[in-house]
Amino acid sequence: MKLIVANWKMHKTRAEARAFADELGHAIGDGIPVVELVVAPAYPLLDAARDGRGRWALGCQNVASETEGAFTGEVSAGMAADAGCTYAIVGHSERRRLFGEDGPVLTKKVARCRDAGLVPIFCIGETEKERDAGLTAATFVRQLDALEPDPHDRPLVVAYEPVWAIGSGRTATPEDCGSALVHIAELLSARRNLRLLYGGSVTPDNCRPLLGAPRTDGFLIGGASLSAESFAAIARA
Ligand code: PEP
């Protein structure tokens, strides 16, 4: 089953989220049996983005590293689960770059997801500078180091999102995507319950060859997920 995740980032009002849900529902009818869909809106939009028929699940874009307490402005993994989320994006490159998240804090966030029963979608990926310096593989090792061994082998999603491809219109080639995902799968070979996504300027026009790349279980989609029509087109592809 392919997994296609919409990351809306900080976009949409509740009315727009409801319109998206109506349109996506129309576009996929009874659902797409071979594809699992997830919509990850901002927290205030969770209810508006929910599908009463369960054709897509809800995710959130971040969780707090703590469980409860005096952490003004934070939302816990337990709260997100209580609000209906099944998945949580953790370590998106925008959170790493703009909010200084890395290593130990991400380890805690994944642990909080586990406590709350959320499936983490853990994002990794090299910057252009790291890529040009031949540091892509070393970046994967460093970033994956934040994932602690999981004796219970619970479901884990890792999204490979090269930073230079996010929101830039520059997509990784299927060859680059495949070799990165194969390498990530090798680094995580102890995990049986692992799905690997690609993210970075995926559109209805470029998604097919990327889906054919080795080890690609689906996509994490930013810009093209804001329109129900293009999100549905990618899911159908
Ligand atoms: C993202 O932000 O996770 C992403 C992949 O964005 P875009 O599809 O717009 O590159």
Side-chain angles (χ1 to χ4, degrees), residues 14 34 36 54-55 58 140 145 160 178-179 182-183 201 222 226:
R14 283 191 305 153
V34 293
E36 183 181 355
R55 291 165 295 181
L58 291 174
F140 295 168
D145 208 38
Y160 168 53
S179 67
V182 166
H183 187 56
S201 297
L226 291 172

Side-chain angles (χ1 to χ4, degrees), residues 72-220:
T72 301
E74 290 291 273
V75 175
S76 73
M79 290 168 180
D82 185 49
C85 291
T86 310
Y87 291 87
I89 298 171
V90 176
H92 190 280
S93 71
E94 286 152 19
R95 302 242 22 122
R96 292 176 187 267
R97 184 169 48 89
L98 301 170
F99 301 96
E101 294 186 2
D102 216 343
V105 79
L106 297 178
T107 303
K108 285 173 83 175
K109 290 187 176 205
V110 171
R112 296 295 83 76
C113 288
R114 295 309 191 187
D115 299 341
L118 294 175
V119 178
I121 301 173
F122 189 74
C123 301
I124 65 169
E126 80 286 4
T127 60
E128 183 145 47
K129 207 164 145 201
E130 287 164 337
R131 178 183 161 96
D132 291 347
L135 291 173
T136 300
T139 303
F140 295 168
V141 171
R142 176 173 52 78
Q143 293 179 333
L144 290 173
D145 208 38
L147 291 173
E148 295 196 313
D150 179 13
H152 306 293
D153 204 17
R154 285 162 296 194
L156 172 67
V157 180
V158 171
Y160 168 53
E161 299 208 303
V163 178
W164 47 269
I166 296 178
S168 65
R170 273 173 69 200
T171 316
T173 62
E175 292 71 30
D176 282 349
C177 173
S179 67
L181 293 183
V182 166
H183 187 56
I184 293 164
E186 277 164 13
L187 292 170
L188 295 173
S189 60
R191 315 238 176 190
R192 297 273 153 262
N193 217 336
L194 172 70
R195 281 180 292 176
L196 298 180
L197 308 183
Y198 167 76
S201 297
V202 174
T203 66
D205 295 331
N206 64 23
C207 65
R208 276 176 194 278
L210 285 166
L211 261 187
R215 283 300 324 229
T216 311
D217 296 314
F219 298 128
L220 178 54

Side-chain angles (χ1 to χ4, degrees), residues 66-72:
E66 305 298 328
T67 310
E68 190 177 28
F71 301 103
T72 301

